[in-house]
Amino acid sequence: MNCSGESAADAAAALGRPDGNGISPRRRDPAALADGTTSLYVSTGSGIIGGGFHQAVADATRAFLACVEEHLAELRPDTDDAALPGTSRVIIRALTYQGRLAAEAAEDDLGHGRHSLSPVFHAGHQVITQLRIIDEARTRNHN
């Protein structure tokens, strides 16, 4: 269920999901570009920008993009790039030279390996994890 981690072709990918208690959900959307640009956007207005300058984030980003590339055939044309995922759902989006692609799936299925896009979901979460690690280190160093 793992992806190879080889370098991806020029592409961009994002993993969007609601995060919260169902009453006031937040979204956390990592964005990864083939040039190494990596950011995490949170619907509350916060986020982490420029994470790709850190080697661990850059490595996770390349692995995520390679994984997305391996699963492009499972994505469909994205006709509404502003659509939000439903409750307990995740949208995986890819921007390629051939156009925008996306797939929506249940977060539980993705997280527990019951969906063909589970490797993409987990690779995206590795990007989020690496961004959080550098952000927490930055916060500790500034306090």
Side-chain angles (χ1 to χ4, degrees), residues 1-3 5 15 17 28-32 38-40 48 51-52 54-68 111 117-135:
M1 179 153 17
N2 293 325
C3 292
L15 178 73
R17 71 181 184 86
R28 292 191 179 129
D29 301 323
T38 308
S39 300
L40 178 68
I48 304 166
H54 299 268
Q55 190 62 49
V57 175
D59 291 346
T61 296
R62 279 191 297 279
F64 176 46
L65 291 173
C67 195
V68 169
L117 291 170
S118 290
V120 176
F121 177 79
H122 288 284
H125 274 275
Q126 283 302 313
V127 173
I128 294 170
T129 296
Q130 293 306 319
L131 286 166
R132 284 183 176 165
I133 289 169
I134 62 164
D135 190 54

